[in-house]
Amino acid sequence: MTINEIQEELVEEFSMFDDWMDRYEYMIELGKSLPQIETRYKIDENLIKGCQSKVWLHAELNEGKVVYTADSDAIITKGIVSILIRAFTNQSPSEILNANTDFIDEIGLKEHLSPTRANGLVSMVKQIKMYAIAFQTQVN
């Protein structure tokens, strides 16, 4: 699936819920299915700066595709990072860099997060793109 298709799928899934409490519950469920980061990658270098809670993000290049794993010590944040990983993992660095993140606004995520969580969300997206930049040189 392309990044756009995955993002459309996510928007569709979240639109099924009228209530934001239901959306938070769904995010928590998504967080439970997050590809687990190996313990050896839960290091300070993989912590996302700007997040209120601890979020570790690791990426590897596998056959030209970036594969992300992550974890967080907070259940909502874990759900947020799982949404981002679902949208961007197993894609090429250039696809990740060229992808927009409008789906975040379409879901209504930023407006329903506390300012510190919204900042953390921006930091997560930034780190996902930074990994893609780093791997792009290895692909070309």
Side-chain angles (χ1 to χ4, degrees), residues 76-90:
I76 297 278
T77 309
K78 198 172 186 171
I80 294 167
V81 77
S82 73
I83 291 167
L84 295 175
I85 285 181
R86 183 166 149 198
F88 296 108
T89 201
N90 290 313

Side-chain angles (χ1 to χ4, degrees), residues 35-130:
Q36 280 299 300
I37 190 169
E38 290 181 38
T39 308
R40 65 187 169 126
Y41 296 125
K42 278 184 150 182
I43 54 176
D44 287 349
E45 291 144 40
N46 290 337
L47 274 173
I48 294 183
K49 318 284 182 267
C51 281
Q52 179 182 352
S53 43
K54 288 187 175 187
V55 180
W56 296 270
L57 179 69
H58 176 71
E60 292 179 4
L61 190 64
N62 187 352
E63 296 178 14
K65 305 279 186 193
V66 184
V67 178
Y68 296 98
T69 54
D71 197 9
S72 175
D73 61 354
I75 55 173
I76 297 278
T77 309
K78 198 172 186 171
I80 294 167
V81 77
S82 73
I83 291 167
L84 295 175
I85 285 181
R86 183 166 149 198
F88 296 108
T89 201
N90 290 313
Q91 305 291 334
S92 73
S94 61
E95 289 167 329
I96 294 165
L97 291 172
N98 293 324
N100 70 46
T101 54
D102 294 346
F103 80 104
I104 293 168
D105 294 327
E106 287 180 50
I107 289 172
L109 207 48
K110 262 193 214 158
E111 67 192 71
H112 287 91
L113 294 175
S114 66
T116 50
R117 281 222 173 95
N119 288 341
L121 171 64
V122 170
S123 297
M124 288 180 220
V125 171
K126 196 163 137 188
Q127 190 58 46
I128 284 170
K129 300 257 183 180
M130 292 302 286

Side-chain angles (χ1 to χ4, degrees), residues 6-21:
I6 296 166
Q7 290 177 352
E8 285 171 18
E9 193 177 79
L10 282 162
V11 169
E12 201 173 296
E13 287 171 20
F14 274 86
S15 71
M16 290 188 293
F17 304 103
D18 298 327
D19 182 271
W20 256 95
M21 288 314 292

